[in-house]
Amino acid sequence: MKIAIGSDHAGVELKAHIISFLEKEGVQVFDKGPVSEKSVDYPDYAKQVVGAIQDEEAEYGILICGTGIGMSIACNRYDFIRGALVRSALEAKLSREHNDANILCLGARITPEDQALECVKVFLETSFSQEERHIRRLDKLGCGCCEI
Ligand code: RB5
């Protein structure tokens, strides 16, 4: 599995923990930055992770900012992206099963590290349900990914 990950300054520390967790699990991780906690703008890093998915460098993305809200707004402006702002393992599971989310958005200032890692684990081990009603709903979003 190939994952692209990015953050803003508020998410750098959590990003490092997630990368270390994923690498131990044998996941290939593309770190799109930033490398320091110097203030940056979250849309710039959302764009990098989106680009990795659109170019098929990665299958899924993870985006982290302080709340996760900025990153979820930013990534959902692009074609082929279904970003889900997730706070719990249940939301991580349902975002994959029902929404076929391809970017997990996390809020480093909201969600404790152990909970965030659980969200990552569940997100990556859960598949889209492939149920017709969910495919139909995704198709209505016009995100460019789905065919009935
Ligand atoms: C940065 O201070 C903060 O605004 C940002 O990380 C994010 O929470 C925006 O949605």
Side-chain angles (χ1 to χ4, degrees):
M1 182 178 285
K2 294 176 181 177
I3 305 292
I5 188 167
S7 71
D8 70 359
H9 49 283
V12 167
E13 190 180 337
L14 178 59
K15 175 162 70 68
H17 290 300
I18 291 173
I19 291 171
S20 145
F21 168 77
L22 289 175
E23 288 182 342
K24 276 185 210 138
E25 297 284 312
V27 173
Q28 189 174 359
V29 185
F30 299 94
D31 183 358
K32 299 297 179 179
V35 292
S36 82
E37 293 185 348
K38 179 171 160 283
S39 184
V40 293
D41 300 331
Y42 59 81
D44 297 334
Y45 293 88
K47 191 175 182 180
Q48 293 296 316
V49 168
V50 164
I53 293 174
Q54 290 177 330
D55 297 344
E56 299 182 359
E57 180 185 27
E59 298 157 72
Y60 298 102
I62 300 173
L63 284 168
I64 311 157
C65 62
T67 59
I69 295 170
M71 283 300 196
S72 63
I73 292 170
C75 73
N76 280 306
R77 298 179 66 83
Y78 294 91
D79 286 345
F80 303 108
I81 298 302
R82 293 171 306 281
L85 174 55
V86 161
R87 311 284 196 213
S88 67
L90 178 60
E91 290 169 297
K93 180 171 182 283
L94 293 175
S95 76
R96 291 286 308 123
E97 285 181 349
H98 290 196
N99 311 108
D100 198 15
N102 54 7
I103 295 187
L104 173 70
C105 299
L106 295 166
R109 293 176 178 158
I110 308 288
T111 306
E113 183 192 313
D114 57 343
Q115 205 170 308
L117 289 173
E118 183 65 15
C119 290
V120 170
K121 183 172 179 292
V122 170
F123 185 86
L124 297 180
E125 70 190 18
T126 306
S127 299
F128 178 51
S129 70
Q130 298 289 350
E131 288 175 32
E132 193 277 338
R133 70 183 193 283
H134 295 308
I135 294 172
R136 184 181 69 240
R137 290 163 190 165
L138 291 174
D139 191 54
K140 288 185 178 185
L141 293 175
C143 59
C145 310
C146 312
E147 290 168 34
I148 295 181

